[in-house]
Amino acid sequence: MLFKNLKSAREDRDLKQKDVAAVLHVSQNTYSQYETGVIALTAEAVVRLADFYGVSTDYLLDRTDNPAPK
C-alpha cells in the first residue's frame, strides 16, 4: 500500500528519504519501502513520524486528509 501522505509530509518539508530514515534509525532503503508499502511501518515508527511532523497518525496512514492531530 502506497502512503501518499507519508511521502507528502516529507516532501512538504523539503526532506530527503535519508533525512527521515535517520530520525527512525533505519536505512534509506528501509524508509523507501515504508513509503511504498513494500514493508509495513511499525507502530513505533508511525508514532515517531507523527510527532516529528506534528500530524496525526491517521493522516500518515491515509485514513484522513486532515493532518491536524486530535
Side-chain angles (χ1 to χ4, degrees):
M1 173 178 210
L2 178 69
F3 292 109
K4 66 179 179 67
N5 289 340
L6 183 61
K7 184 176 181 177
S8 292
R10 176 180 58 78
E11 290 177 339
D12 288 348
R13 289 157 183 82
D14 295 324
L15 296 170
K16 298 194 180 305
Q17 287 182 342
K18 69 177 180 172
D19 301 324
V20 181
V23 171
L24 297 177
H25 307 290
V26 298
S27 70
Q28 179 274 326
N29 184 53
T30 297
Y31 181 76
S32 174
Q33 292 178 3
Y34 286 158
E35 276 191 4
T36 58
V38 172
I39 58 175
L41 280 159
T42 64
E44 178 184 352
V46 174
V47 170
R48 186 174 283 185
L49 289 171
D51 289 346
F52 177 73
Y53 290 128
V55 300
S56 71
T57 55
D58 282 347
Y59 176 75
L60 291 179
L61 298 173
D62 295 335
R63 294 173 47 98
T64 183
D65 290 328
N66 182 1
K70 292 183 180 181

